[in-house]
Amino acid sequence: MSSSAEKKNIPWREMTKEILESDVYKELERIQNPSLVYPDYYLNPFHAYDEGNLSWLAAAEAEAATMSMARRAIPDASSLDEANEIIRGNWLQAIEQHHLQYSGNSTIRDILDVGCSVGVSTGYLADKFPSAKVIGLDLSPYFLAVAQFKEKKRSPRKNPIIWIHAKGEDTGLLSNSFDLVSMAYVLHECPEKAIVNLVKEAFRLLRPGGTVALTDNSPKSKILQELSPVLFTLMKSTEPFLDEYYLNDLEATLREAGFVNVQTILTDPRHRTVTATVPH
């Protein structure tokens, strides 16, 4: 992946080296919850890393991998910035439109980004809704250490992002305390049971009129449907729960948890954004 990314002008090795040779390691003890018990599914070797998401290398390479995903999703984009503008712009627009239409005029004051990884999606949410308080939550303390390290290097926000090391399906956060719960590219890494529990927890955390936004691979994407068997097998080899994700009826899972106004749109050729509301 690194060499194909570099052919597309993504400085994968340089970005990775910069993180691994930095002071990022100091952030780990500030962020890590030592009493957290990892769910069994999370200990799988995701993305061909032996330790899965629980390693410095996975954390150091995550942002470059995200850039690579954007280029792959929008191959005709003239630049990485344009590809990101399309992918992230369409996703944020889907969230904003859904909330405007169904929230009953409630403003987005509190946002939770579940499975925030190294904080790329969290940063986009904070930029889009600058007056909101934003929390990024993840199971990997390594990813969160990178997120916090990178955030400290940028100009300060009016509302600094808070990073929390916890389980997305059992966050320990207060019920009815968020207006938006987002999960970006998280669910395809989860078994069926975890998907159901993540959705239930999002319902518990949201206020009446609150919005959940789930963006991930679309089972209806022509590009993904037409992948060669070799490429699909390769993709599945690094994503142990891909079959369970594709077999899950996400819209039905949301309705069973109590959500209403469930909507799905293809926000780019590979990915869908599913939005839904907690009833008033």
Side-chain angles (χ1 to χ4, degrees):
M1 265 185 88
S2 59
S3 51
S4 68
E6 286 180 345
K7 281 176 194 157
K8 292 172 188 158
N9 297 321
I10 296 164
W12 184 300
R13 276 173 279 221
E14 193 184 313
M15 288 172 73
T16 303
K17 186 169 179 263
E18 197 178 318
I19 292 289
L20 293 175
E21 292 180 0
S22 73
D23 290 338
V24 70
Y25 307 98
K26 292 176 184 170
E27 303 297 339
L28 188 70
E29 59 194 51
R30 294 184 187 130
I31 214 123
Q32 189 164 22
N33 171 7
S35 62
L36 183 66
V37 178
Y38 295 102
D40 288 347
Y41 73 83
Y42 198 69
L43 304 174
N44 274 273
F46 294 100
H47 308 144
Y49 299 106
D50 290 341
E51 301 98 349
N53 294 332
L54 296 170
S55 76
W56 282 116
L57 184 60
E61 292 190 330
E63 189 174 6
T66 302
M67 292 174 171
S68 197
M69 176 271 289
R71 289 297 296 187
R72 209 163 49 244
I74 317 286
D76 301 331
S78 61
S79 66
L80 176 62
D81 284 347
E82 190 191 335
N84 268 326
E85 226 165 88
I86 294 167
I87 288 182
R88 305 292 181 170
N90 291 352
W91 160 64
L92 291 166
Q93 192 180 359
I95 293 171
E96 187 175 44
Q97 284 181 345
H98 187 101
H99 197 77
L100 278 171
Q101 191 170 353
Y102 297 112
S103 72
N105 294 327
S106 75
T107 51
I108 294 179
R109 290 169 294 152
D110 296 282
I111 299 172
L112 178 64
D113 189 24
V114 175
C116 67
S117 180
V118 293
V120 176
S121 54
T122 327
Y124 276 103
L125 289 163
D127 290 343
K128 176 73 176 173
F129 304 103
S131 59
K133 290 176 183 163
V134 181
I135 293 176
L137 180 145
D138 203 89
L139 262 171
S140 171
Y142 303 93
F143 284 6
L144 291 168
V146 170
Q148 185 161 279
F149 175 75
K150 290 182 85 68
E151 188 67 17
K152 280 180 178 176
K153 292 184 81 172
R154 54 153 283 142
S155 52
R157 297 180 192 271
K158 184 179 135 197
N159 288 316
I161 296 170
I162 294 165
W163 309 100
I164 295 180
H165 182 214
K167 280 190 276 205
E169 49 285 51
D170 182 16
T171 61
L173 298 168
L174 288 175
S175 299
N176 309 321
S177 55
F178 294 93
D179 305 294
L180 170 64
V181 172
S182 168
M183 298 179 215
Y185 315 107
V186 172
L187 297 183
H188 73 274
E189 299 193 357
C190 301
E192 165 87 12
K193 190 180 170 193
I195 293 172
V196 169
N197 289 335
L198 283 161
V199 166
K200 283 180 181 169
E201 179 71 346
F203 188 84
R204 182 187 74 79
L205 291 167
L206 284 162
R207 298 178 177 121
T211 300
V212 69
L214 312 170
T215 192
D216 216 312
N217 295 344
S218 172
K220 292 182 178 164
S221 158
K222 278 205 173 93
I223 292 173
L224 293 177
Q225 285 175 350
E226 290 167 8
L227 276 182
S228 71
V230 173
L231 275 176
F232 192 70
T233 304
L234 183 66
M235 192 162 82
K236 271 175 61 173
S237 71
T238 67
E239 301 286 6
F241 302 109
L242 206 55
D243 282 340
E244 292 192 47
Y245 167 72
Y246 281 127
L247 290 170
N248 175 271
D249 182 339
L250 195 50
E251 293 85 351
T253 300
L254 284 160
R255 289 190 191 98
E256 280 160 27
F259 285 99
V260 294
N261 309 320
V262 180
Q263 295 189 321
T264 302
I265 59 169
L266 204 64
T267 33
D268 67 66
R270 282 174 177 254
H271 304 110
R272 62 178 172 178
T273 298
V274 187
T275 47
T277 311
V278 172
H280 292 277

